[in-house]
């Protein structure tokens, strides 16, 4: 049986253009905060909830939309993820995370260590991030996010 779960991850920038990262307890690597989208929860709500639960940081989504004018038709456009990744958790295709990755801005920078969920939390420059124990796809995704953040968002 194959399990596919929707998850939401936040690439969170602070005022110093640093990234918010957690040391994941199960995977034992540094990752941006995120987690499973709960039943009846919108993914752009899930990412903000997960960021706060794991780090104590309140964040805002960086608007990334096509600008469709559909609000008058009982329809609205959600904030678009920066990217969507398919992550093979068991490395055999039986458990996948469909990860909607959002760009976010920190509303506060004080960190709360959540021992039940993480082994650490911190703000990291890209240079420091490259030296952390993490996955190659995390470094590549963060590099692209940093470019977008500086060229199109800020």
């Amino acid at each position: 049986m194959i399990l596919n779960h929707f998850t939401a991850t936040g690439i969170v920038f602070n005022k110093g253009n640093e990234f918010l990262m957690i040391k994941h307890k199960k995977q034992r690597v540094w990752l941006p905060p995120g987690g499973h989208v709960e039943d009846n929860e919108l993914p752009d709500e899930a990412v903000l909830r997960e960021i706060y639960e794991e780090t104590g940081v309140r964040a805002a989504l960086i608007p990334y939309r096509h600008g469709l004018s559909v609000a008058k038709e009982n329809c609205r456009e959600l904030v678009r993820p920066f990217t969507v990744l398919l992550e093979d958790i068991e490395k055999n295709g039986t458990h996948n995370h469909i990860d909607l990755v959002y760009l976010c801005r920190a509303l506060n920078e004080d960190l709360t260590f959540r021992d039940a969920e993480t082994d650490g939390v911190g703000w990291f420059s890209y240079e420091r991030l490259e030296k952390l124990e993490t996955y190659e796809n995390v470094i590549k995704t963060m590099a692209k996010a940093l470019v977008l953040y500086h060229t199109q968002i800020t």
Side-chain angles (χ1 to χ4, degrees):
M1 179 162 127
I2 297 175
L3 298 173
N4 290 312
H5 297 130
F6 282 95
T7 59
T9 295
I11 297 177
V12 184
F13 293 93
N14 67 9
K15 291 178 185 173
N17 292 322
E18 295 172 308
F19 295 100
L20 179 60
M21 300 289 284
I22 62 156
K23 179 85 179 267
H24 196 276
K25 218 172 216 198
K26 291 181 186 174
Q27 296 183 46
R28 294 186 234 161
V29 296
W30 288 91
L31 300 170
H36 288 85
V37 177
E38 303 290 335
D39 288 341
N40 299 312
E41 185 177 40
L42 295 173
D44 50 358
E45 293 170 344
V47 69
L48 297 177
R49 175 185 53 76
E50 287 286 348
I51 292 165
Y52 179 72
E53 287 178 359
E54 293 179 348
T55 69
V57 172
R58 295 274 184 204
L61 296 171
I62 295 173
Y64 195 49
R65 295 182 173 99
H66 285 292
L68 301 175
S69 298
V70 294
K72 296 177 185 173
E73 301 170 15
N74 296 324
C75 178
R76 64 184 168 113
E77 185 179 13
L78 295 176
V79 173
R80 193 169 60 153
F82 162 65
T83 192
V84 179
L85 302 173
L86 181 63
E87 299 158 341
D88 184 351
I89 303 305
E90 302 298 329
K91 298 176 181 43
N92 63 12
T94 62
H95 180 190
N96 301 300
H97 284 176
I98 303 156
D99 194 8
L100 297 103
V101 182
Y102 293 87
L103 297 183
C104 303
R105 179 177 22 262
L107 300 177
N108 68 291
E109 296 185 26
D110 298 328
L111 302 174
T112 303
F113 184 77
R114 308 285 182 166
D115 186 47
E117 305 212 9
T118 65
D119 282 331
V121 61
W123 292 105
F124 297 92
S125 67
Y126 182 76
E127 292 75 24
R128 283 187 60 209
L129 179 86
E130 287 183 301
K131 295 177 175 95
L132 292 178
E133 186 176 348
T134 191
Y135 300 115
E136 183 181 350
N137 70 295
V138 171
I139 299 294
K140 288 181 177 182
T141 302
M142 301 299 244
K144 291 287 187 184
L146 188 60
V147 170
L148 179 66
Y149 184 73
H150 284 293
T151 59
Q152 296 181 14
I153 307 293
T154 58

